[in-house]
Amino acid sequence: MLQLRLKLSTECKHCGVKTDEFWLWEHQIQEKYICGNCHFQEVILTGVVDSEEIDPLKPKNK
């Protein structure tokens, strides 16, 4: 069973910090997250930068 992993862009509505390097599994998506800069739970997702389907039962190729 494939699982979708998403690379997302985010923005903190409290302090304004933005990133586009936020990786989550599809089942981890929530409405808001805690900011690593100001520690308020005001980080929202602003878009999908990239995604990949991963088979958790298949080992990674190195």
Side-chain angles (χ1 to χ4, degrees), residues 40-53:
F40 280 84
Q41 190 170 350
E42 292 295 325
V43 175
I44 61 166
L45 303 176
T46 56
V48 176
V49 177
D50 195 8
S51 66
E52 60 186 11
E53 287 186 328

Side-chain angles (χ1 to χ4, degrees), residues 6 8-14 22-46:
L6 302 165
L8 303 157
S9 57
T10 65
E11 178 180 358
C12 179
K13 291 299 184 182
H14 184 261
F22 194 62
W23 283 98
L24 288 176
W25 293 103
E26 187 176 30
H27 67 271
Q28 293 177 310
I29 293 179
Q30 318 177 70
E31 192 172 321
K32 290 187 177 180
Y33 301 87
I34 295 173
C35 180
N37 183 55
C38 70
H39 306 291
F40 280 84
Q41 190 170 350
E42 292 295 325
V43 175
I44 61 166
L45 303 176
T46 56

